[in-house]
Amino acid sequence: MSGDPIYTEMIIEYSRNPSNYGKIEDAHITRHDSNPLCGDSIDLYLNIDDKKISDVKFDGKGCAICMACSSVLTEMIKGKSLEDVKKFEKDELLSELGLEHLIKTSPVRIKCALLSLKALKYGIYSYFAEKMNDVESAGNLKEEAANLY
Amino acid sequence: MQANTYSLEEIRNDFPVLNRRVRDDKKLVYLDNAATTQKPNQVIDAITDYYQNHNSNIHRAVHALAEESTEAFEVTRDKIAKFLNIQNREEIVFVKGTTEAINLVAYSWGRDNVQKGDIVVTTEYEHHSNIVPWQLLTQETGAELKYIDIDDDGELILEQLDEYLSTGKVKLVAISHVSNVLGTITDIHNVIKKCKNVGAKVLVDGAQAVPHMKVDIASLGCDFYAFSAHKMLGPTGVGVLWARKELLENMRPFQGGGDMIREVHKHETTWNDLPYKFEAGTPNVADVICFAAAIDYLTKIGMDNVRSHETELTKYALEKMSKVKGLTIYGPKDPQKASGVISFNFNDVHPHDVATIIDKNGVAIRSGHHCAQVLMEKLNVAATNRASFYIYTTKEEVDTLIDSLEQVAEVFKL
Ligand SMILES: Cc1ncc(COP(=O)(O)O)c(C=O)c1O
């Protein structure tokens, strides 16, 4: 099965040893999300200091794609400014793992790939809209999250 | 019984989809029969014939097509009565599936018969469709919902039922005849006997039983029985609620509209006779009619033969699978105690990954929680893989499934 378009070395490796896996106690933002049909279920924890993501972790249960994408997402956003993270697009995440093709080839598995990004967008939205009472900065994050897949 | 008349090859020839090639030109190995079964030509042709030659609304007009359609629709009811040994045809209500049948009971019977302080009992291995309607009912009425737990073999701990029944508060036991995840066959006669002794009503979810074994409703003695056509070679969108006449007579209608009425005045309406009182609006005429072809097909094979074919396959599969390293099988290991359903996990690989990898070989299994999250919690897993067999499943297909697991091991470097 060499050259498998989904289960690359990198994905298998991340699924065995996910990065930033764990819980942040009393995180500034905690967002739970799940895919009801497949049983992927994660919590995303974010700390925000100085308008930057100062720390991020995730935990939960999911398939290899979900674990790998959540790992890479947390790696990519750690230390980034909220402004940058707000603009983060799904293609950036998918291409990092060579999974762009899933958008076309697997409407089911794309949900596994984007679950953590959905949690991130909702999380940042609630940070702005609910914690900071700053609906303007929250922008369309909520709609973006809802329309991600 | 006439096992030698069971020609797997002939049966397979009746199912065009089984010749499909999928993915990279792989032969389809369809092992998701608990979700829905494939349809034989006889059923597909019946749909075409209906729309080409008879299509019409039923029970109203007097023209030729309407008469033909009405008769064919009612013939299906008679065939179901015969197939399941039901004495009164008016006790057979057409609905859109098991889910609707159970919701009908929860609404039309539950709302008037379950009150605060009463108990409704269900089990840990129910499909969501036999849990959520009872949650809604008990939350609304203030009644209590209790569960019969399962043991390590995936069988119900019936002592718990005794305990609940001894309170004298149990109004209804809603229980599946066969578990859709574990394949466990419930000791249903025993359950019903216990309930009858104290006057509790019993609803049986037969979605996974009627397609796979002989079911005799008259001898069961339950009060409600539900199943879906699409899990037994029939079309989607048709299901049956069977209920005792005296219960149906006293139940309020589920939906109001055409067909379910006798007379409608500005401020009052009288109900039509059974079963029409519960069949409001234009029913799924075409699919009910072609469901008869599915019943004919199963009748011709014989349900005892269906059962023995599946038992043999399950025995074969369990024996082979028990030798695969890293495979955990959930539910009964005795094929006599289970229907043709095997739930498993492979090492710590998420079921979704297993299903995606073996799908490349054309093997279609189900991965997920199978609409049974309460059971998943009990098993302490997020999801399982499920292979489920039917009349056309072959041992070679079971072999392909098992061989494909090797590829999963390879990809995950196990
Ligand atoms: C045991 C059981 N009950 C109920 C259902 C629901 O059937 P339907 O979706 O046809 O209403 C199913 C189908 O998945 C089932 O397996």
Side-chain angles (χ1 to χ4, degrees):
Chain A
M1 292 274 287
S2 65
D4 189 291
I6 297 179
Y7 296 99
T8 57
E9 295 265 331
M10 184 153 67
I11 292 204
I12 301 296
E13 182 51 35
Y14 271 121
S15 78
R16 301 225 153 273
N17 301 300
S19 2
N20 299 312
Y21 191 86
K23 184 174 179 173
I24 302 178
E25 295 296 337
D26 303 319
H28 298 160
I29 307 170
T30 301
R31 176 79 198 183
H32 174 80
D33 215 327
S34 64
N35 285 325
L37 288 177
C38 61
D40 290 331
S41 165
I42 61 157
D43 286 284
L44 185 71
Y45 309 96
L46 296 157
N47 274 347
I48 293 173
D49 291 298
D50 205 13
K51 296 194 177 154
K52 276 194 183 125
I53 308 250
S54 55
D55 197 8
V56 52
K57 281 192 186 337
F58 80 100
D59 62 12
K61 282 185 187 159
C63 62
I65 298 176
C66 176
M67 288 291 131
C69 287
S70 304
S71 296
V72 169
L73 179 73
T74 55
E75 286 176 0
M76 290 176 87
I77 63 170
K78 204 173 202 170
K80 287 260 164 61
S81 74
L82 283 181
E83 279 314 302
D84 283 346
V85 171
K86 260 171 68 182
K87 285 183 261 161
F88 195 94
E89 301 248 7
K90 63 180 169 196
D91 293 347
E92 289 178 62
L93 174 62
L94 294 173
S95 65
E96 195 69 19
L97 282 158
L99 289 175
E100 308 93 309
H101 60 90
L102 279 186
I103 296 181
K104 283 213 188 72
T105 58
S106 185
V108 179
R109 302 311 302 271
I110 194 75
K111 297 177 185 174
C112 311
L114 297 179
L115 180 64
S116 54
L117 182 58
K118 181 158 150 256
L120 175 70
K121 287 190 184 279
Y122 271 124
I124 306 276
Y125 172 85
S126 68
Y127 175 78
F128 281 123
E130 285 149 30
K131 259 210 156 104
M132 311 308 281
N133 244 326
D134 179 1
V135 181
E136 201 173 316
S137 295
N140 336 327
L141 277 171
K142 200 170 166 185
E143 290 71 29
E144 273 180 39
N147 294 324
L148 208 51
Y149 55 80
Chain B
M1 239 183 71
Q2 341 131 4
N4 50 348
T5 65
Y6 195 96
S7 165
L8 200 47
E9 199 183 313
E10 262 174 52
I11 289 174
R12 288 183 68 86
N13 281 338
D14 287 330
F15 291 79
V17 78
L18 297 179
N19 294 320
R20 270 262 343 238
R21 304 234 144 214
V22 290
R23 303 301 178 198
D24 292 329
D25 204 30
K26 293 286 180 353
K27 203 163 159 272
L28 171 69
V29 175
Y30 185 77
L31 300 178
D32 193 15
N33 292 289
T36 199
T37 64
Q38 298 300 345
K39 321 302 172 200
N41 280 324
Q42 287 81 342
V43 170
I44 300 167
D45 292 346
I47 298 208
T48 313
D49 174 60
Y50 172 73
Y51 282 121
Q52 281 184 344
N53 298 309
H54 309 284
N55 176 51
S56 152
N57 210 325
I58 56 167
H59 294 147
R60 289 167 220 177
V62 294
H63 56 76
L65 295 188
E67 275 183 8
E68 285 166 19
S69 296
T70 303
E71 189 188 333
F73 187 88
E74 294 302 330
V75 161
T76 303
R77 214 186 299 272
D78 292 328
K79 289 193 169 167
I80 292 168
K82 189 145 176 260
F83 189 65
L84 298 175
N85 194 20
I86 293 168
Q87 314 296 326
N88 301 313
R89 68 188 306 283
E90 64 268 37
E91 296 179 335
I92 296 167
V93 178
F94 285 118
V95 290
K96 75 179 156 79
T98 307
T99 304
E100 191 175 48
I102 298 173
N103 278 277
L104 191 161
V105 176
Y107 178 81
S108 296
W109 180 84
R111 266 35 177 203
D112 292 325
N113 290 282
V114 174
Q115 290 155 10
K116 194 174 163 63
D118 291 341
I119 293 175
V120 173
V121 177
T122 186
T123 85
E124 279 187 331
Y125 64 43
E126 296 311 306
H127 188 278
H128 292 164
S129 63
N130 205 17
I131 292 180
V132 183
W134 309 119
Q135 286 178 345
L136 292 170
L137 173 68
T138 50
Q139 281 159 13
E140 198 177 306
T141 55
E144 212 180 333
L145 183 60
K146 299 266 202 193
Y147 287 84
I148 305 172
D149 296 341
I150 57 165
D151 64 19
D152 293 341
D153 293 325
E155 295 194 45
L156 294 174
I157 304 172
L158 290 182
E159 290 75 27
Q160 291 179 345
L161 175 63
D162 295 333
E163 217 175 281
Y164 299 144
L165 291 174
S166 71
T167 63
K169 293 178 181 169
V170 176
K171 280 288 159 66
L172 177 77
V173 176
I175 187 165
S176 45
H177 197 160
V178 171
S179 154
N180 71 317
V181 179
L182 304 174
T184 317
I185 301 173
T186 305
D187 184 1
I188 198 74
H189 284 280
N190 192 11
V191 168
I192 294 168
K193 199 171 107 220
K194 287 172 188 287
C195 294
K196 291 289 108 174
N197 284 340
V198 298
K201 299 277 181 283
V202 186
L203 175 142
V204 181
D205 171 351
Q208 298 293 345
V210 175
H212 304 282
M213 59 189 67
K214 193 168 206 149
V215 173
D216 181 329
I217 288 192
S219 87
L220 273 181
C222 58
D223 300 285
F224 304 98
Y225 199 101
F227 63 98
S228 301
H230 70 97
K231 293 181 194 287
M232 50 189 294
L233 309 179
T236 51
V238 176
V240 168
L241 170 68
W242 169 85
R244 282 179 193 291
K245 197 167 158 188
E246 59 277 20
L247 291 168
L248 287 174
E249 273 168 350
N250 291 312
M251 279 157 59
R252 60 167 107 165
F254 184 43
Q255 293 176 335
D259 259 4
M260 53 80 68
I261 49 86
R262 177 164 303 283
E263 282 179 37
V264 178
H265 306 286
K266 262 193 176 161
H267 298 291
E268 79 222 51
T269 293
T270 48
W271 313 132
N272 200 345
D273 297 335
L274 296 177
Y276 310 108
K277 173 180 157 189
F278 293 100
E279 293 180 354
T282 301
N284 189 346
V285 182
D287 293 315
V288 166
I289 289 174
C290 77
F291 181 30
I295 296 170
D296 288 343
Y297 196 94
L298 288 173
T299 306
K300 195 168 136 236
I301 297 178
M303 291 312 290
D304 289 329
N305 291 330
V306 170
R307 171 73 186 139
S308 57
H309 173 69
E310 285 184 28
T311 311
E312 198 181 314
L313 270 177
T314 309
K315 181 164 172 270
Y316 179 77
L318 283 171
E319 263 169 31
K320 279 198 99 169
M321 289 173 89
S322 65
K323 297 199 184 93
V324 177
K325 225 176 86 220
L327 203 76
T328 310
I329 295 173
Y330 305 98
K333 309 291 180 293
D334 175 357
Q336 298 301 335
K337 292 188 170 170
S339 164
V341 174
I342 300 180
S343 265
F344 62 93
N345 269 317
F346 187 51
N347 293 292
D348 59 350
V349 181
H350 193 282
H352 240 191
D353 296 318
V354 174
T356 297
I357 292 170
I358 73 176
D359 170 58
K360 290 210 183 78
N361 280 346
V363 180
I365 59 166
R366 177 79 181 274
S367 63
H369 56 56
H370 319 290
C371 296
Q373 282 184 315
V374 169
L375 178 58
M376 295 295 118
E377 268 172 33
K378 171 67 171 217
L379 300 174
N380 195 24
V381 293
T384 69
N385 301 285
R386 179 185 71 188
S388 50
F389 312 139
Y390 208 36
I391 53 172
Y392 37 69
T393 309
T394 65
K395 286 185 179 163
E396 291 73 40
E397 290 182 309
V398 173
D399 292 341
T400 309
L401 164 69
I402 293 168
D403 294 344
S404 303
L405 291 175
E406 267 172 38
Q407 294 181 2
V408 178
E410 226 173 86
V411 169
F412 278 84
K413 304 192 172 61
L414 298 169

